[in-house]
Amino acid sequence: MKISRINENLLAIKKSENFRSINDLRMLSATRGIDGQGKEYVVFSSNNYLGLTHEKSVMDAARAAVSFGTGSTGSRLTSGASFELSLLEKNIADFKHTESALVFNTGYMTNLGVLYALADKSSVIFSDRLNHASIIDGCRISGAKILIYEHNDMNHLEKLLEQTPVPADGQRFVVTDGVFSMDGDIVDLPSLLNLKAKHDFCLIVDDAHALGVIGKTGRGTAEHFGINGGIDVQIGTLSKALASEGGYAACSNEIRDYLVNKARPFIFSTSLPPMVAAAANQALAVLSDSSKGNALMEKLRENTKLMRSLLEKAGLPIVQGCTPIIPILTGSSQKALNFAKLCRENGIMLSAIRPPSVPEGTSRIRLTVTAAHSQEEIEKSALIMKEIWRKI
């Protein structure tokens, strides 16, 4: 694109109601934040699923690790790896029941790094149509042939697998979200593993919105279905249920070693500082604790069920499901923006999701519930949303 056409393109984005700008928000607690003018909101737009960002033990762990410095100043391969990161990787692998794990700077960079390292121009990647942008971009930069199958459609995937033989010098990959970030639905993992047994491919599952959200103990998609093994690489994030920052790939020792040597986003990125790893490690410890973790998971399920029930009874067009990601379908971008604006005026912070994050004509409000929301916050907010929906 010519730089001289930036203004023209910005005007087109604004005309389509898809222009975005940054709004400051400071979180006072796991569920409440204030903007730059001091207005307070109940926040239903974060991915802080377990509310651990303001858990005392998590904050204390971060404070203690600040004594080792506020930054790492270089990549792990050149400046050394902090003890906290290595411990976190061990604990992630234990939690996910894999041999090993490798931490990246973000979940986005994890998908780019894994797909760039493992796939190449001799590979074929089969990708779900509604996969996250980080997966889409990872597929593109890998140079592999990319085949898109319809969302969660295992029949379509099997047809593509049957039509596309294993490359002579390459590998076939299937990559999918575990919980899809915009619809909140869950991948059909049992059927996917049945296909893997028949058609031989490497399976990569992104559990960013599944860890701490689904499965009896919050271990994600595999535990949700009662499945052990079969997933070659489990991608995840530290920035959602684990209340910190970063991403990880849980995998075999062999794959981890290969990623350390071939994943450019890992090799050439400055390492996360110790306080970030310490916070994530403590959040994982809370989730792993049978008493604390189970209580948080149960509260998250209760809050999700309550909000879904209230919105459904109020007549809002929500996407059915069981996860705390609750899309309210508006269709048009303007309607999504109006709804979010009126909610903000009434002290509720929500996200208006528009193209290109979702396909044209499927704009929505993406409401997320956390374990930290009180029953009063949920009931009061649902009532306000009901009245706003009637107005628009």
Side-chain angles (χ1 to χ4, degrees), residues 19 47 82 112 126 180 269 273 284-285 290 293 322 333 371:
F19 183 79
N47 297 314
S82 76
L112 262 61
F126 302 83
F180 291 87
S269 290
L284 183 60
S290 59
C322 65
S333 295

PDB file of all heavy atoms in Angstrom, residues 19 47 82 112 126 180 269 273 284-285 290 293 322 333 371:
ATOM      1  N   PHE A  19     -13.670   1.171  12.333  1.00  0.00           N
ATOM      2  CA  PHE A  19     -12.517   1.904  12.838  1.00  0.00           C
ATOM      3  C   PHE A  19     -12.313   1.584  14.316  1.00  0.00           C
ATOM      4  O   PHE A  19     -13.269   1.491  15.080  1.00  0.00           O
ATOM      5  CB  PHE A  19     -12.723   3.406  12.654  1.00  0.00           C
ATOM      6  CG  PHE A  19     -11.544   4.241  13.084  1.00  0.00           C
ATOM      7  CD1 PHE A  19     -10.436   4.361  12.269  1.00  0.00           C
ATOM      8  CD2 PHE A  19     -11.548   4.893  14.308  1.00  0.00           C
ATOM      9  CE1 PHE A  19      -9.341   5.129  12.648  1.00  0.00           C
ATOM     10  CE2 PHE A  19     -10.466   5.663  14.709  1.00  0.00           C
ATOM     11  CZ  PHE A  19      -9.358   5.782  13.877  1.00  0.00           C
ATOM     12  N   ASN A  47     -10.325 -11.415  29.608  1.00  0.00           N
ATOM     13  CA  ASN A  47     -10.178 -12.875  29.594  1.00  0.00           C
ATOM     14  C   ASN A  47      -9.622 -13.380  30.918  1.00  0.00           C
ATOM     15  O   ASN A  47      -9.015 -14.446  30.984  1.00  0.00           O
ATOM     16  CB  ASN A  47      -9.246 -13.300  28.449  1.00  0.00           C
ATOM     17  CG  ASN A  47      -9.812 -12.939  27.091  1.00  0.00           C
ATOM     18  OD1 ASN A  47     -10.987 -13.176  26.823  1.00  0.00           O
ATOM     19  ND2 ASN A  47      -8.989 -12.343  26.245  1.00  0.00           N
ATOM     20  N   SER A  82      15.773 -17.065  33.197  1.00  0.00           N
ATOM     21  CA  SER A  82      15.479 -16.894  34.618  1.00  0.00           C
ATOM     22  C   SER A  82      15.018 -18.214  35.214  1.00  0.00           C
ATOM     23  O   SER A  82      14.394 -19.042  34.540  1.00  0.00           O
ATOM     24  CB  SER A  82      14.407 -15.822  34.821  1.00  0.00           C
ATOM     25  OG  SER A  82      13.135 -16.328  34.501  1.00  0.00           O
ATOM     26  N   LEU A 112       2.902 -18.429  16.011  1.00  0.00           N
ATOM     27  CA  LEU A 112       3.811 -18.112  14.914  1.00  0.00           C
ATOM     28  C   LEU A 112       5.077 -18.958  15.002  1.00  0.00           C
ATOM     29  O   LEU A 112       5.530 -19.530  13.997  1.00  0.00           O
ATOM     30  CB  LEU A 112       4.179 -16.623  14.952  1.00  0.00           C
ATOM     31  CG  LEU A 112       3.387 -15.696  14.028  1.00  0.00           C
ATOM     32  CD1 LEU A 112       1.907 -15.706  14.372  1.00  0.00           C
ATOM     33  CD2 LEU A 112       3.941 -14.277  14.069  1.00  0.00           C
ATOM     34  N   PHE A 126      -3.935 -28.147   7.537  1.00  0.00           N
ATOM     35  CA  PHE A 126      -5.396 -28.087   7.495  1.00  0.00           C
ATOM     36  C   PHE A 126      -5.834 -27.247   8.697  1.00  0.00           C
ATOM     37  O   PHE A 126      -5.547 -27.590   9.847  1.00  0.00           O
ATOM     38  CB  PHE A 126      -5.995 -29.491   7.578  1.00  0.00           C
ATOM     39  CG  PHE A 126      -5.535 -30.413   6.480  1.00  0.00           C
ATOM     40  CD1 PHE A 126      -4.322 -31.095   6.585  1.00  0.00           C
ATOM     41  CD2 PHE A 126      -6.300 -30.589   5.340  1.00  0.00           C
ATOM     42  CE1 PHE A 126      -3.888 -31.936   5.582  1.00  0.00           C
ATOM     43  CE2 PHE A 126      -5.876 -31.446   4.320  1.00  0.00           C
ATOM     44  CZ  PHE A 126      -4.663 -32.110   4.441  1.00  0.00           C
ATOM     45  N   PHE A 180     -13.050 -21.824  20.777  1.00  0.00           N
ATOM     46  CA  PHE A 180     -12.949 -20.776  19.768  1.00  0.00           C
ATOM     47  C   PHE A 180     -13.283 -19.419  20.389  1.00  0.00           C
ATOM     48  O   PHE A 180     -14.305 -19.254  21.048  1.00  0.00           O
ATOM     49  CB  PHE A 180     -13.848 -21.101  18.578  1.00  0.00           C
ATOM     50  CG  PHE A 180     -13.347 -22.273  17.783  1.00  0.00           C
ATOM     51  CD1 PHE A 180     -13.704 -23.564  18.140  1.00  0.00           C
ATOM     52  CD2 PHE A 180     -12.489 -22.087  16.708  1.00  0.00           C
ATOM     53  CE1 PHE A 180     -13.215 -24.657  17.433  1.00  0.00           C
ATOM     54  CE2 PHE A 180     -11.999 -23.164  15.997  1.00  0.00           C
ATOM     55  CZ  PHE A 180     -12.361 -24.457  16.357  1.00  0.00           C
ATOM     56  N   SER A 269      13.534 -13.000  20.504  1.00  0.00           N
ATOM     57  CA  SER A 269      12.751 -12.120  21.378  1.00  0.00           C
ATOM     58  C   SER A 269      13.403 -11.999  22.741  1.00  0.00           C
ATOM     59  O   SER A 269      13.908 -12.980  23.291  1.00  0.00           O
ATOM     60  CB  SER A 269      11.327 -12.666  21.558  1.00  0.00           C
ATOM     61  OG  SER A 269      10.583 -12.538  20.364  1.00  0.00           O
ATOM     62  N   PRO A 273      10.414 -11.076  31.851  1.00  0.00           N
ATOM     63  CA  PRO A 273      11.104 -10.840  33.126  1.00  0.00           C
ATOM     64  C   PRO A 273      10.649 -11.813  34.206  1.00  0.00           C
ATOM     65  O   PRO A 273       9.545 -12.384  34.123  1.00  0.00           O
ATOM     66  CB  PRO A 273      10.722  -9.404  33.469  1.00  0.00           C
ATOM     67  CG  PRO A 273       9.429  -9.175  32.774  1.00  0.00           C
ATOM     68  CD  PRO A 273       9.493  -9.981  31.513  1.00  0.00           C
ATOM     69  N   LEU A 284      -0.842 -20.681  38.333  1.00  0.00           N
ATOM     70  CA  LEU A 284      -0.960 -22.104  38.012  1.00  0.00           C
ATOM     71  C   LEU A 284      -1.011 -22.934  39.279  1.00  0.00           C
ATOM     72  O   LEU A 284      -1.753 -23.934  39.354  1.00  0.00           O
ATOM     73  CB  LEU A 284       0.213 -22.533  37.135  1.00  0.00           C
ATOM     74  CG  LEU A 284       0.209 -23.985  36.651  1.00  0.00           C
ATOM     75  CD1 LEU A 284      -1.040 -24.278  35.825  1.00  0.00           C
ATOM     76  CD2 LEU A 284       1.465 -24.284  35.847  1.00  0.00           C
ATOM     77  N   ALA A 285      -0.275 -22.534  40.305  1.00  0.00           N
ATOM     78  CA  ALA A 285      -0.294 -23.246  41.592  1.00  0.00           C
ATOM     79  C   ALA A 285      -1.678 -23.155  42.227  1.00  0.00           C
ATOM     80  O   ALA A 285      -2.175 -24.132  42.805  1.00  0.00           O
ATOM     81  CB  ALA A 285       0.761 -22.672  42.530  1.00  0.00           C
ATOM     82  N   SER A 290      -6.179 -28.529  44.669  1.00  0.00           N
ATOM     83  CA  SER A 290      -7.476 -29.207  44.528  1.00  0.00           C
ATOM     84  C   SER A 290      -8.607 -28.437  45.189  1.00  0.00           C
ATOM     85  O   SER A 290      -9.748 -28.468  44.717  1.00  0.00           O
ATOM     86  CB  SER A 290      -7.393 -30.621  45.109  1.00  0.00           C
ATOM     87  OG  SER A 290      -7.026 -30.587  46.478  1.00  0.00           O
ATOM     88  N   GLY A 293      -8.459 -24.448  43.324  1.00  0.00           N
ATOM     89  CA  GLY A 293      -8.738 -24.563  41.896  1.00  0.00           C
ATOM     90  C   GLY A 293     -10.145 -25.044  41.621  1.00  0.00           C
ATOM     91  O   GLY A 293     -10.850 -24.493  40.766  1.00  0.00           O
ATOM     92  N   CYS A 322     -21.424 -23.581  26.547  1.00  0.00           N
ATOM     93  CA  CYS A 322     -21.202 -23.807  27.971  1.00  0.00           C
ATOM     94  C   CYS A 322     -20.004 -23.037  28.502  1.00  0.00           C
ATOM     95  O   CYS A 322     -19.709 -23.099  29.697  1.00  0.00           O
ATOM     96  CB  CYS A 322     -21.021 -25.300  28.248  1.00  0.00           C
ATOM     97  SG  CYS A 322     -19.543 -26.010  27.479  1.00  0.00           S
ATOM     98  N   SER A 333     -22.153  -3.845  12.319  1.00  0.00           N
ATOM     99  CA  SER A 333     -21.135  -3.215  13.157  1.00  0.00           C
ATOM    100  C   SER A 333     -21.726  -2.052  13.936  1.00  0.00           C
ATOM    101  O   SER A 333     -21.394  -1.840  15.112  1.00  0.00           O
ATOM    102  CB  SER A 333     -19.969  -2.731  12.288  1.00  0.00           C
ATOM    103  OG  SER A 333     -19.307  -3.816  11.675  1.00  0.00           O
ATOM    104  N   ALA A 371     -14.814 -15.907  37.196  1.00  0.00           N
ATOM    105  CA  ALA A 371     -15.143 -16.450  38.518  1.00  0.00           C
ATOM    106  C   ALA A 371     -15.222 -15.352  39.569  1.00  0.00           C
ATOM    107  O   ALA A 371     -15.811 -15.551  40.634  1.00  0.00           O
ATOM    108  CB  ALA A 371     -14.082 -17.479  38.927  1.00  0.00           C
TER     109      ALA A 371
END
